[in-house]
Amino acid sequence: SDLSVVVRRTPLLVEDAKELWQYYEELPLGIRLETLVGLGVAAQLLESSGAATREQYPKLRRVLDAYSVAVAAACVAPRQVFYNIHRAFWALATRQALREAREPIQPLLLSSANRAAVTGAAESVVAVVSGGSAPGAGTSGAAGGRSFALGGIGAAVLL
Protein backbone atom coordinates (compact mmCIF):
# COMPACT_ATOMS: atom_id res chain seq x y z
CA SER A 1 0.00 0.00 0.00
CA ASP A 2 1.01 3.64 -0.34
CA LEU A 3 1.40 4.21 3.37
CA SER A 4 3.76 1.25 3.73
CA VAL A 5 5.99 2.76 1.02
CA VAL A 6 6.15 6.00 3.00
CA VAL A 7 6.81 4.18 6.29
CA ARG A 8 9.54 1.93 4.85
CA ARG A 9 11.41 4.76 3.12
CA THR A 10 11.46 7.41 5.85
CA PRO A 11 13.21 10.66 4.86
CA LEU A 12 15.64 10.97 7.75
CA LEU A 13 18.03 13.47 6.13
CA VAL A 14 15.45 15.97 4.86
CA GLU A 15 16.03 19.47 6.22
CA ASP A 16 13.30 21.65 4.70
CA ALA A 17 9.93 21.53 2.94
CA LYS A 18 11.49 21.65 -0.53
CA GLU A 19 13.59 18.53 0.13
CA LEU A 20 10.55 16.84 1.66
CA TRP A 21 8.53 17.49 -1.50
CA GLN A 22 11.40 16.10 -3.61
CA TYR A 23 11.31 12.98 -1.46
CA TYR A 24 7.57 12.53 -2.07
CA GLU A 25 7.99 13.10 -5.81
CA GLU A 26 10.45 10.18 -5.93
CA LEU A 27 8.08 7.75 -4.19
CA PRO A 28 6.07 5.33 -6.34
CA LEU A 29 2.67 6.69 -5.31
CA GLY A 30 -0.08 6.41 -7.87
CA ILE A 31 -3.80 7.07 -8.06
CA ARG A 32 -5.76 4.18 -6.50
CA LEU A 33 -9.19 4.27 -8.11
CA GLU A 34 -9.96 0.64 -7.19
CA THR A 35 -9.85 1.53 -3.50
CA LEU A 36 -12.10 4.50 -4.10
CA VAL A 37 -14.63 2.37 -6.00
CA GLY A 38 -14.50 -0.33 -3.30
CA LEU A 39 -15.23 2.23 -0.61
CA GLY A 40 -18.22 3.55 -2.57
CA VAL A 41 -19.57 0.04 -3.08
CA ALA A 42 -19.19 -0.75 0.63
CA ALA A 43 -21.09 2.42 1.60
CA GLN A 44 -23.92 1.54 -0.80
CA LEU A 45 -24.08 -2.03 0.53
CA LEU A 46 -24.47 -0.69 4.08
CA GLU A 47 -27.32 1.54 2.94
CA SER A 48 -29.15 -0.94 0.73
CA SER A 49 -28.88 -3.90 3.10
CA GLY A 50 -30.33 -1.87 5.96
CA ALA A 51 -27.35 -2.64 8.20
CA ALA A 52 -26.44 1.04 8.64
CA THR A 53 -28.91 3.42 7.04
CA ARG A 54 -28.68 7.17 7.44
CA GLU A 55 -32.01 7.23 9.27
CA GLN A 56 -30.98 4.57 11.81
CA TYR A 57 -27.39 5.67 12.44
CA PRO A 58 -26.90 9.30 11.38
CA LYS A 59 -23.75 9.88 13.46
CA LEU A 60 -22.09 6.68 12.25
CA ARG A 61 -22.85 7.57 8.64
CA ARG A 62 -21.37 11.07 9.12
CA VAL A 63 -18.20 9.50 10.48
CA LEU A 64 -18.13 7.10 7.53
CA ASP A 65 -18.66 10.03 5.13
CA ALA A 66 -15.73 11.95 6.67
CA TYR A 67 -13.57 8.82 6.50
CA SER A 68 -14.59 8.31 2.87
CA VAL A 69 -13.55 11.86 2.00
CA ALA A 70 -10.14 11.36 3.64
CA VAL A 71 -9.58 8.04 1.88
CA ALA A 72 -10.76 9.48 -1.43
CA ALA A 73 -8.26 12.34 -1.12
CA ALA A 74 -5.47 9.85 -0.36
CA CYS A 75 -6.50 7.72 -3.35
CA VAL A 76 -6.74 10.56 -5.86
CA ALA A 77 -3.74 12.68 -4.73
CA PRO A 78 -1.54 10.50 -2.48
CA ARG A 79 1.63 12.60 -2.81
CA GLN A 80 -0.07 15.80 -1.75
CA VAL A 81 -2.00 14.14 1.09
CA PHE A 82 0.99 12.35 2.60
CA TYR A 83 3.25 15.38 2.07
CA ASN A 84 0.81 17.71 3.85
CA ILE A 85 0.25 15.26 6.69
CA HIS A 86 4.02 14.86 7.07
CA ARG A 87 4.57 18.64 7.03
CA ALA A 88 1.83 19.18 9.62
CA PHE A 89 3.33 16.63 12.01
CA TRP A 90 6.80 18.02 11.34
CA ALA A 91 5.58 21.53 12.26
CA LEU A 92 3.97 20.21 15.46
CA ALA A 93 7.13 18.34 16.45
CA THR A 94 9.29 21.39 15.72
CA ARG A 95 7.01 23.64 17.77
CA GLN A 96 7.07 21.18 20.68
CA ALA A 97 10.87 20.86 20.54
CA LEU A 98 11.30 24.64 20.52
CA ARG A 99 8.88 25.01 23.42
CA GLU A 100 10.73 22.39 25.48
CA ALA A 101 14.21 23.70 24.64
CA ARG A 102 13.49 27.38 25.21
CA GLU A 103 15.78 27.75 28.23
CA PRO A 104 18.89 25.69 28.86
CA ILE A 105 18.62 23.37 31.85
CA GLN A 106 21.98 24.53 33.22
CA PRO A 107 23.46 27.98 32.71
CA LEU A 108 25.76 28.27 29.74
CA LEU A 109 29.48 28.29 30.56
CA LEU A 110 30.21 31.51 28.69
CA SER A 111 26.99 33.37 29.47
CA SER A 112 27.27 37.01 30.52
CA ALA A 113 25.94 36.22 34.00
CA ASN A 114 28.59 33.53 34.54
CA ARG A 115 31.34 35.80 33.18
CA ALA A 116 30.32 38.58 35.58
CA ALA A 117 30.23 36.15 38.52
CA VAL A 118 33.66 34.71 37.65
CA THR A 119 35.13 38.19 37.17
CA GLY A 120 33.73 39.36 40.51
CA ALA A 121 35.04 36.26 42.30
CA ALA A 122 38.48 36.62 40.69
CA GLU A 123 38.66 40.30 41.67
CA SER A 124 37.76 39.43 45.25
CA VAL A 125 40.42 36.71 45.39
CA VAL A 126 43.06 39.03 43.92
CA ALA A 127 42.11 41.76 46.39
CA VAL A 128 42.38 39.39 49.34
CA VAL A 129 45.70 37.94 48.11
CA SER A 130 47.21 41.37 47.47
CA GLY A 131 46.26 42.49 50.97
CA GLY A 132 43.65 45.04 50.01
CA SER A 133 39.91 44.97 50.19
CA ALA A 134 37.57 44.07 47.37
CA PRO A 135 37.33 46.64 44.53
CA GLY A 136 34.61 49.19 45.03
CA ALA A 137 34.89 48.95 48.80
CA GLY A 138 36.90 52.12 49.27
CA THR A 139 40.12 51.19 47.48
CA SER A 140 41.49 53.95 45.38
CA GLY A 141 44.49 54.77 43.31
CA ALA A 142 46.97 52.26 41.96
CA ALA A 143 46.05 49.41 44.31
CA GLY A 144 42.40 49.38 43.17
CA GLY A 145 43.35 49.59 39.50
CA ARG A 146 45.95 46.85 39.91
CA SER A 147 43.51 44.46 41.56
CA PHE A 148 40.91 45.16 38.89
CA ALA A 149 43.45 44.48 36.14
CA LEU A 150 44.64 41.30 37.84
CA GLY A 151 41.03 40.20 38.33
CA GLY A 152 40.35 40.74 34.62
CA ILE A 153 43.42 38.68 33.73
CA GLY A 154 42.37 35.96 36.18
CA ALA A 155 38.86 35.87 34.68
CA ALA A 156 40.32 35.63 31.17
CA VAL A 157 42.51 32.71 32.26
CA LEU A 158 39.52 30.94 33.82
CA LEU A 159 37.45 31.29 30.67
Side-chain angles (χ1 to χ4, degrees), residues 41-64:
V41 168
Q44 287 303 317
L45 282 175
L46 286 174
E47 183 73 30
S48 64
S49 69
T53 63
R54 290 193 186 278
E55 292 79 28
Q56 290 175 330
Y57 304 102
K59 290 181 182 178
L60 174 65
R61 290 306 299 255
R62 283 190 204 129
V63 170
L64 285 175

Side-chain angles (χ1 to χ4, degrees), residues 34-113:
E34 67 278 0
T35 305
L36 189 59
V37 170
L39 188 62
V41 168
Q44 287 303 317
L45 282 175
L46 286 174
E47 183 73 30
S48 64
S49 69
T53 63
R54 290 193 186 278
E55 292 79 28
Q56 290 175 330
Y57 304 102
K59 290 181 182 178
L60 174 65
R61 290 306 299 255
R62 283 190 204 129
V63 170
L64 285 175
D65 290 342
Y67 177 74
S68 298
V69 167
V71 170
C75 288
V76 173
R79 279 188 179 86
Q80 291 82 1
V81 169
F82 291 131
Y83 168 76
N84 286 317
I85 290 172
H86 196 147
R87 258 187 79 197
F89 278 102
W90 191 3
L92 289 172
T94 300
R95 191 175 308 133
Q96 180 182 3
L98 290 174
R99 186 176 46 236
E100 290 175 0
R102 189 152 292 212
E103 292 290 325
I105 295 173
Q106 297 177 348
L108 298 173
L109 181 63
L110 299 176
S111 69
S112 58

Side-chain angles (χ1 to χ4, degrees), residues 124-138:
S124 298
V125 168
V126 168
V128 169
V129 169
S130 67
S133 61

